[in-house]
Amino acid sequence: MSTAAPNVDVTRAVDMLGRENVRLLDVREDDEWAAGHAPAAEHMQLSQLDPRAFTDAGTVVVTCRSGNRSSKAAATLVEAGVDAVNLDGGMKAWAQAGHPLVRDDGTPGTVA
């Protein structure tokens, strides 16, 4: 049985991201990322997730489209000793709360 990572809502995640040593990791597929992502997010597909890339990361807030894949990714990180939490509701909740989504070229994005 895997270790579950704590869930945080969008408000808590945004508060956390305002602090030093907190990173936002988006584990969606390339096409989903290209359609729109949080401006400060880093991208690593779930299938490519390497916990070693986050061993000195402080806290990692993990997101996907709805929170399902990111829950698995956050649990994988927690099992590897990383301080990770799952963004409950994912990028859908992020967008519904009115937070920005951008494409790589800086234009407004959407949740794919």
Side-chain angles (χ1 to χ4, degrees):
M1 179 94 190
S2 65
T3 305
N7 284 316
V8 296
D9 64 16
V10 173
T11 301
R12 175 102 172 95
V14 169
D15 179 57
M16 291 174 69
L17 292 166
R19 300 183 199 149
E20 285 187 37
N21 219 20
V22 179
R23 295 162 67 179
L24 179 61
L25 174 64
D26 190 322
V27 297
R28 295 177 297 158
E29 296 298 314
D30 287 342
D31 61 324
E32 294 173 291
W33 169 265
H37 51 82
E42 300 172 46
H43 183 227
M44 185 181 288
Q45 292 179 44
L46 178 58
S47 62
Q48 305 295 317
L49 184 63
D50 181 0
R52 294 172 297 188
F54 301 95
T55 53
D56 296 325
T59 302
V60 180
V61 178
V62 188
T63 189
C64 64
R65 183 172 186 270
S66 65
N68 186 29
R69 287 172 285 176
S70 55
S71 177
K72 295 173 185 169
T76 298
L77 292 172
V78 167
E79 287 176 2
V82 177
D83 180 15
V85 298
N86 178 51
L87 177 56
D88 194 27
M91 293 313 296
K92 291 196 307 187
W94 177 273
Q96 287 171 347
H99 296 290
L101 291 166
V102 296
R103 296 175 186 266
D104 286 338
D105 65 5
T107 60
T110 60
V111 178

